Amino acid sequence: MSTSLPTRGGDTETVSPPRPPGPKGQPTGGSGRPQWRQRLSRLDHTLAPYLYISPFFLLFLVIGMFPLLYTAWVSVHDWSLLGGKGEFVGLDNYREVLQNPYFTKQLVNTISIFAISSVPQILIALVLAALLDNQLRARTAWRMSILLPFVVSPVAVAIIFGSLYGDRYGLANEILGVVGIDPVSWHTNRLASHVAIATMVNWRWTGYNALIFLAAMQAVPRELYESAAIDGAGRLRQFLSITVPMIRPTMIFVIITSTIGGLQVFAEPRLFDQTTARNGGSDRQFGTITMLIYDFGWQLRDLGRASATAWLLFLVICAFAVVNFLLIRRLGRLGTIGGRG
Amino acid sequence: MSRRPGFLVYGLLIAFVLGSAAPLYWSFLLGSQTKEEASQGIPPLLPGGHFLDNAQRVLDSLPFWKALGNSLMVSTVTACSVVFFCTLAGYAFAKLRFRGSGPLMVFVIATMAVPTQLGVVPLFILMSKLGWAGSVWSVVIPWLVTAFGVFFMRQYLVDAVPDELIEAARMDGCSQIRTFLTVAVPAARPAAAILWLFTFMQVWTDFFWPLIALPPDNPTIQVALNQLQSGYFKDFSLVLAGTTLATIPLLVLFVLAGRQLVSGIMQGAVKG
């Protein structure tokens, strides 16, 4: 099979020398053909890798790089969903967004929901992984059961938990009633709604993260535990002094991925909402930044402000990544992480 | 830790598994009751037997089959495409020497940190200009090849394909693509299955972009559920029956391939 050479993509000039003009040097006795084939094969070996990786880069260019830059372009214009591009307005969109009281409120909500969900999630996932890191019977069955919530879509999770957290007849309030606690207004109270949404995120992701931690825990050399046991360290002490420091790189990985995901939370609060506008409660007490992007762009039909909000969200995520990084390095310098990692 | 676990460990695990399963059972429970029963506090612990009636009501009030077809189509096409292109690219990064492969791989990993939601506005404008707005292709395109997939396949193929084999194929005069097909593809099979599953699930559960890109009469399952929930008047038996119906396909997938999912998560993380 002859391979078709790409006409674009790989920079052909640098790898293929210009062909020798044909009729000049007369080839002797058919040695021309093998030579030509050899050259083709060499070309195949040089160009093929670029050809194989090109789909990713082409697609990233179209739906990653280009949108990133284009978002910036849209954000400095008046740009309506229906009318398209208007005039250049500089940073006006950013000013409008930053001055909009909902921006601050929804940014605080986003961070609050993220904090309430990620800290318990990581702690519970750690404990769960430690439980699974035993010689259990039916190991695979346990691991699979832990992962069950992961196959339920965030939309479905939000609907199910929305009914569990019903203000009047929800199961959560009924149970609280049995214990003798007054019903909580999960949809109107700001903090309560954040807790409800954090529960959804945690229900879906804790098992998944526990499996990631478990994989890291299994790579910890068993001799370490044995020698610690000989030194008289109890199980908790072993966990804090050996397991946690040994899986720190994995913890960093999980923290960073859950930050990127957690700050973009959208489906859960949107479907938890029972008002008709669905912007995150009657006074946006649980609206998030991504919901604001949607609201600006597809409800108010102002793509300029939606783009400005998207860029601001990106900056927030970058800031969080930097803070995370510094925090983790700091913890690393302290030697051992205490119980409240 | 190599010890035989005690009663406490099993007890905690059982509690956790019950917590994982309970909300799903609740959804089926309420979905199997009449509208009146479902709005009255603590339900009985056993299903009410009206699930099929409620399911019928879901089918009457939504383009459910169309949504299911769309979701299946989008998830299947993207999963196959991701497996194909990511195996190719992952193989190139893992096994072929070419100028700039290091920096290019770093670039691929860096793109993973860019949130997709940042690009929704231009993506929307682009799809409108191309005339694909409202068609399921606008949901398929962004998912055709993923950075995570390239990275995952590369990590796997580095160890799975011995260099000697590639060298031998080359000595025999195989072209690059033939070497890829005869040496790399068979070795990549286990990882490809995992990547296929993951992509399928991710696309199936995706919500933000389909909500923007698709009109109400041509939704994916998630967008259809969103419509069901947005009724002015809360009818939990209907909404939760719909939610249960929409979750069944992935539950089936989970029962069939949960083992691969578990091993996939555990592999992807160790080497990451």
Side-chain angles (χ1 to χ4, degrees):
Chain A
M1 292 213 40
S2 67
T3 50
S4 56
L5 294 175
T7 45
R8 282 180 301 171
D11 36 350
T12 41
E13 301 96 87
T14 55
V15 284
S16 60
R19 279 212 181 160
K24 232 198 235 170
Q26 284 183 359
T28 48
S31 66
R33 226 185 120 209
Q35 225 177 30
W36 175 78
R37 279 186 68 166
Q38 216 172 33
R39 186 166 297 154
L40 201 67
S41 134
R42 200 172 311 136
L43 207 61
D44 170 37
H45 278 277
T46 335
L47 284 182
Y50 294 104
L51 189 64
Y52 297 169
I53 63 172
S54 61
F56 172 80
F57 287 91
L58 285 175
L59 190 79
F60 179 74
L61 215 67
V62 175
I63 66 123
M65 202 69 198
F66 162 76
L68 205 65
L69 301 172
Y70 202 72
T71 303
W73 175 245
V74 174
S75 74
V76 292
H77 289 83
D78 256 336
W79 201 302
S80 108
L81 182 69
L82 306 172
K85 183 168 165 289
E87 54 191 69
F88 177 83
V89 293
L91 295 179
D92 279 3
N93 282 323
Y94 289 88
R95 192 175 316 122
E96 279 172 29
V97 170
L98 287 170
Q99 282 170 353
N100 188 317
Y102 285 140
F103 177 78
T104 318
K105 187 164 188 176
Q106 295 187 213
L107 181 61
V108 171
N109 288 346
T110 306
I111 293 169
S112 156
I113 291 170
F114 165 69
I116 298 175
S117 68
S118 56
V119 175
Q121 187 186 126
I122 285 179
L123 292 180
I124 297 171
L126 267 179
V127 171
L128 193 58
L131 293 176
L132 288 167
D133 192 19
N134 280 303
Q135 291 185 308
L136 295 169
R137 284 171 198 201
R139 257 190 354 213
T140 312
W142 285 116
R143 290 177 192 176
M144 272 179 66
S145 328
I146 295 297
L147 196 61
L148 177 68
F150 182 65
V151 303
V152 185
S153 71
V155 170
V157 174
I159 292 174
I160 295 169
F161 277 78
S163 89
L164 287 171
Y165 283 117
D167 289 32
R168 285 167 63 201
Y169 301 116
L171 188 64
N173 278 344
E174 296 280 351
I175 291 173
L176 289 178
V178 170
V179 189
I181 301 171
D182 285 341
V184 177
S185 36
W186 297 104
H187 287 78
T188 44
N189 179 302
R190 198 173 178 191
L191 184 63
S193 65
H194 294 186
V195 170
I197 291 164
T199 322
M200 300 175 200
V201 177
N202 287 354
W203 182 74
R204 185 160 186 253
W205 287 100
T206 304
Y208 180 90
N209 286 333
L211 286 180
I212 292 183
F213 286 148
L214 174 63
M217 282 179 191
Q218 292 191 323
V220 177
R222 303 286 132 168
E223 301 84 63
L224 286 180
Y225 293 122
E226 283 159 21
S227 56
I230 291 167
D231 291 342
R235 294 197 64 172
L236 186 66
R237 183 67 208 277
Q238 287 179 31
F239 181 72
L240 293 178
S241 311
I242 298 171
T243 314
V244 172
M246 288 293 284
I247 65 166
R248 190 179 297 127
T250 306
M251 284 176 73
I252 293 170
F253 170 82
V254 167
I255 289 168
I256 286 174
T257 48
S258 67
T259 306
I260 294 173
L263 292 176
Q264 300 180 66
V265 67
F266 174 78
E268 290 89 346
R270 184 173 165 84
L271 283 128
F272 183 63
D273 197 347
Q274 297 181 335
T275 60
T276 39
R278 305 180 76 191
N279 284 323
S282 48
D283 192 26
R284 312 230 180 168
Q285 60 273 29
F286 54 91
T288 59
I289 289 291
T290 311
M291 287 170 85
L292 195 64
I293 296 176
Y294 184 80
D295 181 32
F296 278 146
W298 285 272
Q299 285 170 338
L300 301 175
R301 299 183 176 171
D302 180 351
L303 291 183
R305 270 190 288 168
S307 299
T309 315
W311 260 103
L312 289 168
L313 172 66
F314 184 54
L315 294 179
V316 169
I317 290 178
C318 288
F320 261 80
V322 170
V323 168
N324 265 338
F325 182 73
L326 293 175
L327 208 68
I328 289 161
R329 260 189 32 191
R330 193 68 185 279
L331 286 172
R333 259 197 228 110
L334 292 175
T336 53
I337 302 180
R340 273 178 237 101
Chain B
M1 302 177 218
S2 48
R3 308 185 193 85
R4 217 164 272 116
F7 188 69
L8 177 72
V9 171
Y10 279 114
L12 285 171
L13 280 173
I14 287 170
F16 200 90
V17 170
L18 286 178
S20 300
L24 282 177
Y25 184 66
W26 164 266
S27 150
F28 174 65
L29 198 65
L30 281 200
S32 69
Q33 294 175 318
T34 60
K35 189 172 161 181
E36 291 72 32
E37 285 170 343
S39 59
Q40 289 169 359
I42 296 190
L45 279 175
L46 293 171
H50 295 279
F51 187 79
L52 292 178
D53 310 347
N54 287 331
Q56 190 55 52
R57 285 199 298 146
V58 172
L59 300 185
D60 293 341
S61 53
L62 281 179
F64 185 84
W65 295 117
K66 185 164 194 176
L68 189 71
N70 281 344
S71 276
L72 275 174
M73 199 287 282
V74 170
S75 304
T76 309
V77 169
T78 49
C80 293
S81 158
V82 161
V83 165
F84 178 74
F85 287 122
C86 293
T87 307
L88 257 181
Y91 166 74
F93 278 124
K95 289 294 160 188
L96 303 179
R97 288 190 205 91
F98 56 99
R99 204 170 296 170
S101 71
L104 285 172
M105 188 69 223
V106 171
F107 180 77
V108 170
I109 293 170
T111 64
M112 279 200 268
V114 180
T116 39
Q117 301 187 346
L118 198 62
V120 290
V121 172
L123 212 52
F124 184 81
I125 296 171
L126 187 73
M127 292 298 164
S128 308
K129 284 228 161 74
L130 291 170
W132 288 335
S135 110
V136 283
W137 293 108
S138 61
V139 180
V140 169
I141 303 278
W143 281 100
L144 286 176
V145 46
T146 59
F148 168 78
V150 174
F151 177 69
F152 181 77
M153 285 317 270
R154 179 196 169 273
Q155 295 302 81
Y156 184 82
L157 289 173
V158 163
D159 299 328
V161 180
D163 286 324
E164 296 79 35
L165 265 181
I166 295 179
E167 210 44 51
R170 200 176 156 165
M171 287 289 137
D172 292 347
C174 280
S175 63
Q176 285 277 35
I177 194 75
R178 217 173 130 191
T179 310
F180 169 75
L181 292 174
T182 51
V183 176
V185 168
R189 236 171 240 152
I194 288 167
L195 185 60
W196 194 94
L197 271 174
F198 261 85
T199 310
F200 189 95
M201 278 186 46
Q202 271 182 307
V203 178
W204 183 278
T205 55
D206 193 25
F207 177 58
F208 188 60
W209 173 242
L211 177 71
I212 288 170
L214 298 175
D217 60 347
N218 188 29
T220 60
I221 278 281
Q222 310 304 333
V223 179
L225 277 185
N226 177 53
Q227 291 167 39
L228 197 61
Q229 168 82 341
S230 61
Y232 194 63
F233 191 54
K234 270 287 154 288
D235 179 352
F236 276 125
S237 62
L238 174 73
V239 178
L240 287 168
T243 307
T244 309
L245 278 182
T247 308
I248 288 173
L250 275 194
L251 282 178
V252 170
L253 194 68
F254 178 73
V255 169
L256 294 176
R259 195 177 289 266
Q260 277 84 351
L261 272 177
V262 169
S263 71
I265 293 170
M266 295 185 64
Q267 272 179 35
V270 179
K271 300 185 174 179

